Coordinates of all heavy atoms in Angstrom, one line a residue:
G674 N 58.7 40.6 -81.2 CA 60.1 40.9 -80.9 C 60.7 42.1 -81.6 O 61.8 42.0 -82.1
L675 N 60.0 43.2 -81.8 CA 60.5 44.3 -82.5 C 61.5 45.1 -81.7 O 61.2 45.5 -80.5 CB 59.3 45.2 -82.9 CG 59.7 46.6 -83.6 CD1 60.4 46.4 -84.9 CD2 58.4 47.4 -83.8
R676 N 62.7 45.4 -82.3 CA 63.7 46.2 -81.6 C 64.3 47.2 -82.6 O 64.7 46.8 -83.7 CB 64.8 45.3 -81.0 CG 64.4 44.3 -80.0 CD 65.6 43.5 -79.5 NE 66.6 44.3 -79.0 CZ 66.6 44.7 -77.7 NH1 65.7 44.4 -76.9 NH2 67.6 45.4 -77.3
V677 N 64.4 48.4 -82.2 CA 65.0 49.5 -83.1 C 66.2 50.1 -82.3 O 65.9 50.5 -81.1 CB 64.1 50.5 -83.6 CG1 64.8 51.5 -84.5 CG2 62.9 49.9 -84.3
A678 N 67.3 50.2 -82.8 CA 68.5 50.7 -82.1 C 69.5 51.4 -83.1 O 69.3 51.2 -84.3 CB 69.2 49.6 -81.3
R679 N 70.5 52.0 -82.5 CA 71.5 52.7 -83.4 C 72.6 51.7 -83.7 O 73.5 52.1 -84.6 CB 72.0 53.9 -82.7 CG 71.0 55.0 -82.5 CD 71.6 56.3 -81.9 NE 70.6 57.3 -81.7 CZ 70.4 58.2 -82.6 NH1 71.0 58.2 -83.8 NH2 69.5 59.2 -82.4
T680 N 72.8 50.6 -83.1 CA 73.8 49.7 -83.4 C 73.3 48.3 -83.6 O 72.2 47.9 -83.2 CB 74.9 49.6 -82.2 OG1 74.2 48.9 -81.1 CG2 75.4 50.9 -81.8
W681 N 74.0 47.5 -84.3 CA 73.6 46.1 -84.6 C 73.5 45.3 -83.3 O 72.5 44.6 -83.1 CB 74.7 45.4 -85.5 CG 74.5 43.9 -85.7 CD1 74.9 42.9 -84.9 CD2 73.8 43.3 -86.8 NE1 74.5 41.7 -85.4 CE2 73.8 41.9 -86.6 CE3 73.1 43.8 -87.9 CZ2 73.3 41.0 -87.4 CZ3 72.6 42.9 -88.8 CH2 72.6 41.5 -88.5
A682 N 74.4 45.4 -82.4 CA 74.4 44.7 -81.2 C 73.2 45.0 -80.3 O 72.6 44.1 -79.6 CB 75.7 44.9 -80.4
D683 N 72.8 46.3 -80.3 CA 71.6 46.6 -79.5 C 70.3 46.3 -80.2 O 69.3 46.0 -79.5 CB 71.6 48.2 -79.2 CG 72.7 48.6 -78.3 OD1 73.0 47.8 -77.3 OD2 73.3 49.7 -78.4
A684 N 70.3 46.2 -81.5 CA 69.0 45.8 -82.2 C 68.9 44.3 -82.2 O 67.9 43.7 -81.8 CB 69.0 46.4 -83.6
V685 N 70.0 43.6 -82.7 CA 70.0 42.1 -82.8 C 70.5 41.6 -81.4 O 71.6 41.0 -81.4 CB 70.8 41.7 -84.0 CG1 70.5 40.2 -84.2 CG2 70.4 42.5 -85.2
K686 N 69.8 41.9 -80.4 CA 70.4 41.6 -79.0 C 70.5 40.1 -78.8 O 69.5 39.4 -78.9 CB 69.6 42.3 -78.0 CG 70.3 42.4 -76.6 CD 69.6 43.2 -75.6 CE 70.4 43.4 -74.4 NZ 69.7 44.1 -73.3
Y687 N 71.7 39.7 -78.3 CA 72.0 38.3 -78.2 C 72.3 37.9 -76.7 O 73.1 38.7 -76.1 CB 73.1 37.9 -79.1 CG 73.7 36.5 -78.9 CD1 73.0 35.4 -79.3 CD2 75.0 36.4 -78.5 CE1 73.5 34.2 -79.2 CE2 75.5 35.1 -78.3 CZ 74.8 34.0 -78.7 OH 75.3 32.7 -78.5
K688 N 71.7 36.9 -76.2 CA 72.1 36.4 -74.9 C 71.9 37.5 -73.8 O 72.8 37.7 -73.0 CB 73.5 35.9 -74.9 CG 73.8 34.8 -75.8 CD 73.1 33.6 -75.4 CE 73.6 32.4 -76.2 NZ 72.8 31.3 -76.4
T689 N 70.8 38.1 -73.8 CA 70.6 39.1 -72.7 C 70.2 38.5 -71.4 O 70.0 37.3 -71.3 CB 69.4 40.0 -73.1 OG1 68.2 39.3 -73.0 CG2 69.6 40.5 -74.5
T690 N 70.2 39.3 -70.4 CA 69.9 38.8 -69.0 C 68.4 38.5 -68.9 O 68.0 37.9 -67.9 CB 70.2 39.8 -68.0 OG1 69.6 41.1 -68.3 CG2 71.7 40.1 -67.9
T691 N 67.6 38.8 -70.0 CA 66.2 38.4 -70.0 C 66.1 36.9 -69.8 O 65.3 36.4 -69.0 CB 65.5 38.8 -71.3 OG1 65.6 40.2 -71.4 CG2 64.1 38.4 -71.3
A692 N 66.9 36.1 -70.6 CA 66.8 34.7 -70.5 C 67.2 34.2 -69.1 O 66.5 33.3 -68.5 CB 67.7 34.0 -71.5
I693 N 68.2 34.8 -68.5 CA 68.6 34.4 -67.2 C 67.5 34.7 -66.2 O 67.2 34.0 -65.2 CB 69.9 35.1 -66.8 CG1 71.0 34.7 -67.8 CG2 70.3 34.8 -65.4 CD1 72.3 35.4 -67.6
G694 N 66.9 35.9 -66.3 CA 65.8 36.3 -65.4 C 64.7 35.3 -65.5 O 64.0 35.0 -64.5
Q695 N 64.3 34.8 -66.7 CA 63.3 33.8 -66.9 C 63.6 32.6 -66.1 O 62.8 32.0 -65.5 CB 63.1 33.5 -68.4 CG 62.4 34.7 -69.1 CD 62.3 34.4 -70.6 OE1 63.0 33.6 -71.1 NE2 61.5 35.2 -71.3
M696 N 64.9 32.1 -66.2 CA 65.3 30.9 -65.5 C 65.2 31.1 -64.0 O 64.8 30.2 -63.3 CB 66.7 30.5 -65.9 CG 66.8 30.0 -67.4 SD 65.6 28.7 -67.8 CE 65.9 27.5 -66.5
A697 N 65.5 32.3 -63.5 CA 65.4 32.5 -62.1 C 64.0 32.4 -61.6 O 63.7 31.9 -60.6 CB 66.0 33.9 -61.8
T698 N 63.1 33.0 -62.5 CA 61.7 32.9 -62.1 C 61.2 31.4 -62.1 O 60.5 31.0 -61.3 CB 60.8 33.7 -63.2 OG1 61.3 35.0 -63.2 CG2 59.4 33.6 -62.9
Q699 N 61.7 30.6 -63.1 CA 61.4 29.2 -63.2 C 61.9 28.5 -61.9 O 61.2 27.7 -61.3 CB 62.0 28.6 -64.4 CG 61.4 29.0 -65.7 CD 62.1 28.3 -66.9 OE1 62.4 28.9 -67.8 NE2 62.4 27.0 -66.8
K700 N 63.1 28.9 -61.5 CA 63.6 28.2 -60.3 C 62.8 28.5 -59.1 O 62.5 27.6 -58.3 CB 65.1 28.7 -60.1 CG 66.1 28.2 -61.1 CD 67.5 28.6 -60.8 CE 68.0 27.8 -59.6 NZ 69.4 28.1 -59.3
A701 N 62.4 29.7 -58.9 CA 61.5 30.1 -57.8 C 60.2 29.3 -57.8 O 59.7 28.9 -56.8 CB 61.3 31.6 -57.7
A702 N 59.6 29.2 -59.0 CA 58.3 28.6 -59.1 C 58.4 27.1 -58.8 O 57.6 26.4 -58.3 CB 57.7 28.8 -60.5
A703 N 59.6 26.5 -59.3 CA 59.7 25.1 -59.2 C 59.9 24.6 -57.8 O 59.7 23.4 -57.5 CB 60.9 24.6 -60.0
R704 N 60.2 25.5 -56.8 CA 60.5 25.0 -55.5 C 59.2 24.5 -54.8 O 59.2 23.7 -53.9 CB 61.0 26.2 -54.6 CG 62.4 26.6 -55.1 CD 63.0 27.7 -54.3 NE 64.3 28.1 -54.8 CZ 64.6 29.3 -55.2 NH1 63.7 30.3 -55.0 NH2 65.8 29.6 -55.7
N705 N 58.0 24.9 -55.3 CA 56.8 24.4 -54.7 C 56.1 23.4 -55.6 O 54.9 23.2 -55.4 CB 55.9 25.6 -54.5 CG 56.4 26.5 -53.4 OD1 57.0 26.1 -52.4 ND2 56.4 27.8 -53.6
E706 N 56.7 22.9 -56.6 CA 56.1 21.9 -57.5 C 56.6 20.5 -57.2 O 57.7 20.3 -56.8 CB 56.5 22.2 -59.0 CG 55.9 23.6 -59.4 CD 56.4 23.9 -60.8 OE1 57.2 23.2 -61.4 OE2 55.9 24.9 -61.4
F707 N 55.7 19.6 -57.3 CA 55.9 18.2 -57.1 C 55.9 17.4 -58.4 O 55.0 17.6 -59.2 CB 54.9 17.6 -56.1 CG 55.0 18.1 -54.7 CD1 54.4 19.3 -54.3 CD2 55.8 17.4 -53.7 CE1 54.5 19.8 -53.0 CE2 55.9 17.9 -52.4 CZ 55.3 19.1 -52.1
Y708 N 56.8 16.4 -58.5 CA 56.8 15.5 -59.6 C 56.9 14.1 -59.2 O 57.6 13.8 -58.1 CB 58.0 15.8 -60.5 CG 57.9 17.2 -61.2 CD1 58.3 18.3 -60.4 CD2 57.5 17.4 -62.4 CE1 58.2 19.6 -61.0 CE2 57.4 18.6 -63.0 CZ 57.8 19.7 -62.3 OH 57.7 21.0 -62.8
N709 N 56.3 13.1 -59.9 CA 56.4 11.7 -59.6 C 57.7 11.2 -60.1 O 58.5 11.9 -60.8 CB 55.2 10.9 -60.0 CG 55.0 11.0 -61.6 OD1 56.0 11.2 -62.3 ND2 53.8 10.8 -62.0
L710 N 58.0 10.0 -59.9 CA 59.3 9.4 -60.3 C 59.4 9.3 -61.8 O 60.5 9.0 -62.3 CB 59.6 8.1 -59.6 CG 59.7 8.2 -58.0 CD1 60.0 6.8 -57.4 CD2 60.7 9.2 -57.6
A711 N 58.3 9.4 -62.5 CA 58.4 9.3 -64.0 C 58.6 10.7 -64.5 O 58.6 10.9 -65.8 CB 57.1 8.8 -64.5
G712 N 58.7 11.7 -63.7 CA 59.0 13.1 -64.1 C 57.7 13.9 -64.5 O 57.8 14.9 -65.1

Side-chain angles (χ1 to χ4, degrees):
L675 171 64
R676 300 179 59 85
V677 183
R679 292 182 180 273
T680 69
W681 173 273
D683 288 326
V685 192
K686 195 172 185 185
Y687 172 66
K688 299 293 194 204
T689 70
T690 55
T691 300
I693 298 172
Q695 289 174 343
M696 290 309 305
T698 301
Q699 288 179 227
K700 291 183 71 173
R704 292 179 185 129
N705 295 319
E706 295 176 355
F707 290 86
Y708 295 81
N709 61 27
L710 297 184

